[in-house]
Amino acid sequence: MIRRPPRSTPKPSSAASDVYKRQVFNESLIKEDILLLNREGKLAKGEGHPEVVFVSYEIMFKMLRDPVYKNNFLELIDGCKFIQASWAGIESEEAQELIKIPDLFSHGGGVHAITIGTYVFAQILRKVKDIDAHIELQKNKEWKQMTSVAELTDMVLGVAGYGGIGQEVARLGKAFRMEVLATKRTPVSSDNLDRLYKPSDLNEMLSHCDFVVNCLPVTEDTLKAFSLEQFKAMKSSSMFINVGRGETVSEDDLYEALISKEIQCAALDVTDPEPLDKNSPLWELENCFITPHDSAWGPRAPERAVELFLLNLERYKKGDKLQNLV
């Protein structure tokens, strides 16, 4: 969805998807000129260049797959003032290209926190209630009660990177009566945290954790932040879950930690590279659960992205600071 300065008789386009119709054609945009893209990355209707641009996941994926679309889109938005992205990561080449265009660029951090938090606890409960073993029992038509299953009360949850996703994971952890620890570069106060650590004290935090959730972005400081040293610092009964970025983990070291039982198991929704190489030994491990970077998807995720855009659009109009400003 693209916006430019209003004309006297705006006409919302029927090409918008149903979910976007519900969100964007409301009071905040009724007087705006809404411009939509076609499949070639050009305007489906209208003329000129937009002042404000909303870049959805669909547009980003299209840019990644189609060089012609990418070139047309970048030419169209050249000179715009404000770009709102619907995703959090800004390290990719395409994201960096977009950041250079406008005066203001806002990322979508926190938009997918609810869906990713749900994924994290799906994996945590998979382990603590031994869901995989129960599935095997059903396949074999065995009625064998498992007294080894546990509960999360008083277990320790460690979150590396206490941003929007990390905060949602912590909130859910507290709902399960867990003890919650986290790392963050800057001090923060939260009712959902029992203790906050500096990133330099990551290993100390890991030593206490039953579950470790990596929410770190990719920076020079976080590349391979989880290597063999960190896995050795963790409990042998612990579970490692990566929903941050694949580049923050040494997957060779993770493989070593899993086969040597330095940690009990891992769940990876992100890998390096993506897709994960078919020759990666991680595919074959029974204690490594791999998903194809889809934890962020959910029926309301696009609506939340649009809601963030609408919030920042109002701030942009008023000259206020944008949320998630890069």
Side-chain angles (χ1 to χ4, degrees), residues 296-316:
W297 296 110
R300 292 201 58 195
E303 295 180 18
R304 294 188 185 103
V306 173
E307 288 167 1
L308 174 62
F309 167 63
L310 294 178
L311 170 66
N312 272 339
L313 179 59
E314 288 304 308
R315 292 186 178 186
Y316 170 78

Side-chain angles (χ1 to χ4, degrees), residues 70-258:
K70 174 182 174 181
N71 290 335
N72 288 338
F73 179 65
L74 293 179
E75 180 180 350
L76 173 65
I77 68 174
D78 185 44
C80 73
K81 302 296 184 182
F82 163 43
I83 291 179
Q84 174 68 60
S86 64
W87 64 91
I90 58 173
E91 68 277 358
S92 70
E93 178 181 337
E94 286 73 20
Q96 287 298 314
E97 286 185 85
L98 290 173
I99 289 172
K100 294 175 183 177
I101 293 173
D103 298 328
L104 301 169
F105 182 93
S106 171
H107 64 75
V111 165
H112 303 288
I114 292 176
T115 50
I116 294 177
T118 302
Y119 168 88
V120 167
F121 272 84
Q123 295 290 5
I124 287 176
L125 292 170
R126 174 184 190 170
K127 175 181 183 293
V128 79
K129 302 306 290 186
D130 214 344
I131 298 300
D132 293 87
H134 281 89
I135 291 172
E136 287 302 313
L137 287 174
Q138 181 177 346
K139 285 181 179 179
N140 298 326
K141 299 181 181 180
E142 293 184 61
W143 187 274
K144 180 182 178 182
Q145 293 179 332
M146 299 183 63
T147 58
S148 61
V149 294
E151 61 180 276
L152 294 177
T153 305
D154 297 329
M155 284 192 169
V156 181
L157 173 66
V159 180
Y162 197 64
I165 295 171
Q167 291 167 31
E168 175 64 10
V169 170
R171 185 189 71 81
L172 293 173
K174 275 301 172 187
F176 279 99
R177 300 179 178 86
M178 301 180 77
E179 180 181 350
V180 181
L181 315 177
T183 65
K184 187 175 175 60
R185 290 178 298 174
T186 55
V188 64
S189 177
S190 171
D191 293 338
N192 295 324
L193 271 184
D194 292 288
R195 184 174 177 182
L196 184 67
Y197 291 80
K198 297 178 181 179
S200 57
D201 295 327
L202 174 62
N203 287 5
E204 180 184 348
M205 183 190 81
L206 297 178
S207 67
H208 301 290
C209 298
D210 298 294
F211 299 91
V212 175
V213 183
N214 176 28
C215 302
L216 294 173
V218 176
T219 68
E220 291 183 2
D221 295 330
T222 62
L223 285 172
K224 301 293 187 291
F226 281 90
S227 298
L228 194 56
E229 177 185 344
Q230 283 66 49
F231 297 124
K232 286 186 174 182
M234 294 166 61
K235 298 178 181 179
S236 60
S237 59
S238 65
M239 180 182 200
F240 174 71
I241 302 172
N242 190 10
V243 291
R245 285 293 183 266
E247 295 89 340
T248 63
V249 177
S250 169
E251 291 176 355
D252 289 340
D253 288 356
L254 174 60
Y255 174 78
E256 179 63 30
L258 288 169

Side-chain angles (χ1 to χ4, degrees), residues 253-302:
D253 288 356
L254 174 60
Y255 174 78
E256 179 63 30
L258 288 169
I259 63 172
S260 64
K261 305 300 182 183
E262 294 288 351
I263 62 175
Q264 185 173 348
C265 59
L268 309 177
D269 190 52
V270 291
T271 60
D272 181 27
E274 292 186 4
L276 182 62
D277 193 303
K278 291 185 178 180
N279 294 321
S280 170
L282 292 172
W283 286 111
E284 307 297 329
L285 295 182
E286 292 184 357
N287 59 342
C288 186
F289 314 129
I290 298 171
T291 51
H293 201 159
D294 58 4
S295 66
W297 296 110
R300 292 201 58 195

Side-chain angles (χ1 to χ4, degrees), residues 46-86:
E47 58 184 15
H49 291 269
E51 177 185 346
V52 176
V53 178
F54 174 69
V55 184
S56 67
Y57 260 113
E58 291 82 1
I59 291 177
M60 173 55 81
F61 287 145
K62 186 72 173 178
M63 287 176 63
L64 291 171
R65 294 192 298 262
D66 188 341
V68 174
Y69 181 99
K70 174 182 174 181
N71 290 335
N72 288 338
F73 179 65
L74 293 179
E75 180 180 350
L76 173 65
I77 68 174
D78 185 44
C80 73
K81 302 296 184 182
F82 163 43
I83 291 179
Q84 174 68 60
S86 64

